[in-house]
Amino acid sequence: MALKVLSVDDSRTIRLIVGKSFRPYDVQVCEAANGEEGLAAAAREKPDLIILDVTMPVMDGVTMLSKLKEDPALKTIPVIMLTAESGRDNVLQIAKLGVRDYLVKPFKDTQLIEKAGRIISLQKKPAV
């Protein structure tokens, strides 16, 4: 059974990069454009991993992460945060919320796959 990854980012480009990064693997990528949509998608899809942007309209990633961690059905889903800021205070804030890892934008797809592979068991798709 394919793993599910939820990509939550207001940038369509970033969501496309995340989707492309996981294409060689047995992974289904779901998308949401903000934290509110992301919470609904997390509850509906029960992903194995969430790739979550920090800065978004409607509901930002930090608020979404806080709400995830308050929900008994969702709090164990591992999260990798995407942030444009690598500042120590910013990183400490998201670390306190229980994020598993983070990536600073712009990032390479190999960095994303490396970090995701430490959290979920990525399997290459069989050659057709």
Side-chain angles (χ1 to χ4, degrees):
M1 188 173 89
L3 293 169
K4 279 189 189 175
V5 172
L6 173 59
S7 173
V8 184
D9 200 302
D10 59 319
S11 166
R12 184 166 160 23
T13 303
I14 296 293
R15 294 195 314 267
L16 286 169
I17 292 167
V18 170
K20 183 177 160 282
S21 300
F22 284 101
R23 202 168 290 139
Y25 301 91
D26 192 18
V27 172
Q28 176 189 347
V29 178
C30 313
E31 295 183 2
N34 60 58
E36 204 169 84
E37 287 180 16
L39 272 177
R44 183 178 64 247
E45 301 290 342
K46 302 286 191 285
D48 299 288
L49 176 66
I50 297 174
I51 312 295
L52 178 59
D53 185 26
V54 171
T55 310
M56 297 180 287
V58 185
M59 180 190 293
D60 65 33
V62 173
T63 304
M64 179 183 158
L65 182 63
S66 298
K67 290 181 181 292
L68 270 176
K69 295 302 177 186
E70 290 167 6
D71 187 325
L74 305 175
K75 69 180 182 184
T76 60
I77 300 171
V79 176
I80 295 176
M81 295 291 283
L82 300 179
T83 178
E85 305 161 45
S86 59
R88 186 172 170 270
D89 293 344
N90 186 49
V91 171
L92 284 173
Q93 180 191 13
I94 60 176
K96 283 182 193 159
L97 291 169
V99 72
R100 287 288 291 275
D101 212 334
Y102 74 96
L103 270 170
V104 177
K105 292 179 184 179
F107 60 89
K108 291 183 169 65
D109 55 357
T110 52
Q111 294 171 300
L112 175 60
I113 294 302
E114 182 186 317
K115 288 180 183 278
R118 290 186 205 144
I119 299 169
I120 57 175
S121 181
L122 292 173
Q123 304 292 321
K124 287 263 190 186
K125 285 181 183 168
V128 178

